[in-house]
Amino acid sequence: MQRYMPDWWALPALNDNNKAFFTSGKIVVQTCKSCQTAQHPPEDVCHVCQETSFDWQTCSGEGVVYSHTVVEHPIPGTLKDRVPYTVILVSLNDHPEIRILGNPVNIDPNKVEVGQKVKAVFETIEDEKAGVTLKIPQWEVI
Ligand SMILES: [Zn+2]
């Protein structure tokens, strides 16, 4: 699918913690091997027990809009042709305590509402500098 933001918009800087999230083409959450806590964004240490070994849990990719905002003012000014756009925070059905940022791709920015059901879709982007294919999650209202 086409990128929600312009092609020149920054890409995620991959590291060992976030690579699966940005390249798997699925909604995956980091899960502590010791206490089974799921956390996002993925980090070096479990927020609950401070262990450092994790698995990845594949989620359904469905959730609800927990919060949203419409960006009307272009910061930086180079986004003047892209506004208005919407940023949403999605609460996952599999882990309601986990919230993932993104953009709703199939709805007018002013029609987004808290509680709308969404499912993940993925922007496929070749990051030639990093030598990887990114699968950036975005959200379709269903
Ligand atoms: Zn833990």
Side-chain angles (χ1 to χ4, degrees):
M1 65 178 278
Q2 184 178 352
R3 285 191 79 181
Y4 185 82
M5 297 304 283
D7 287 341
W8 54 264
W9 193 247
L11 296 174
L14 297 183
N15 58 42
D16 290 342
N17 289 333
N18 68 20
K19 189 170 184 178
F21 182 79
F22 287 118
T23 62
S24 69
K26 303 171 199 165
I27 295 298
V28 293
V29 294
Q30 188 184 42
T31 306
C32 176
K33 284 186 177 179
S34 178
C35 74
Q36 316 309 314
T37 297
Q39 62 183 20
H40 184 85
E43 297 185 11
D44 290 336
V45 177
C46 173
H47 295 172
V48 173
C49 74
Q50 288 74 53
E51 285 294 327
T52 57
S53 295
F54 299 95
D55 287 320
W56 290 96
Q57 180 186 1
T58 300
C59 296
S60 68
E62 295 187 2
V64 296
V65 174
Y66 178 81
S67 184
H68 63 95
T69 189
V70 177
V71 178
E72 304 273 358
H73 185 72
I75 300 174
T78 47
L79 283 174
K80 68 179 180 351
D81 295 330
R82 183 59 189 89
V83 291
Y85 65 88
T86 307
V87 178
I88 61 174
L89 198 54
V90 173
S91 172
L92 296 179
N93 288 353
D94 300 304
H95 292 282
E97 74 282 11
I98 289 181
R99 310 217 168 95
I100 298 177
L101 277 171
N103 308 107
V105 297
N106 65 338
I107 187 168
D108 181 292
N110 294 306
K111 295 198 171 161
V112 175
E113 296 177 6
V114 169
Q116 283 176 320
K117 294 179 180 178
V118 293
K119 73 172 185 180
V121 293
F122 294 87
E123 297 176 344
T124 300
I125 302 165
E126 296 300 326
D127 184 346
E128 294 172 10
K129 207 180 208 180
V132 296
T133 301
L134 299 169
K135 307 272 186 174
I136 309 290
Q138 296 289 16
W139 302 93
E140 268 185 5
V141 174
I142 54 176

